[in-house]
Amino acid sequence: SIARQTTNGSIIREYSIGQCKKCHDIIINTDDSCDILGQIYHSSCAVCVLCGRSVKNKHYFVKDQLYCEEDFLVNIVFIDKN
């Protein structure tokens, strides 16, 4: 862990909480991150593969790819039915 002093004088301890499933960079406890099905992602990496919108709160997986609800329903469910 690394200790860092903030501008107001408080000390923040930073430590690794894992590796991002998408970019494979280390995520530290102070990074904006999310857990999706037991895998950790930077929040900026947790985006739909088609439109780039955040899937941090609602997501769908198809063949290890993340989709937002709209793209999943329109492009995956609809196409598979036709």
Side-chain angles (χ1 to χ4, degrees):
S1 92
I2 298 170
R4 184 172 54 90
Q5 190 168 10
T6 64
T7 54
N8 69 1
S10 62
I11 303 294
I12 296 176
R13 294 234 178 261
E14 294 181 338
Y15 51 89
S16 170
I17 58 172
Q19 185 177 29
C20 178
K21 175 75 173 167
K22 184 175 179 183
C23 74
H24 307 290
D25 285 346
I26 297 296
I27 299 174
I28 59 172
N29 61 309
T30 57
D31 287 342
D32 185 16
S33 63
C34 60
D35 182 298
I36 299 177
L37 300 175
Q39 299 290 328
I40 191 165
Y41 291 80
H42 291 106
S43 291
S44 60
C45 291
V47 296
C48 176
V49 296
L50 295 178
C51 68
R53 285 184 289 201
S54 173
V55 295
K56 185 175 174 178
N57 297 318
K58 194 162 196 173
H59 49 271
Y60 297 84
F61 264 106
V62 178
K63 298 178 183 171
D64 290 331
Q65 298 289 317
L66 284 168
Y67 292 86
C68 67
E69 182 175 30
E70 183 179 338
D71 284 332
F72 174 77
L73 294 174
V74 171
N75 295 293
I76 306 302
V77 175
F78 179 77
I79 290 171
D80 285 347
K81 286 185 177 183
N82 291 320

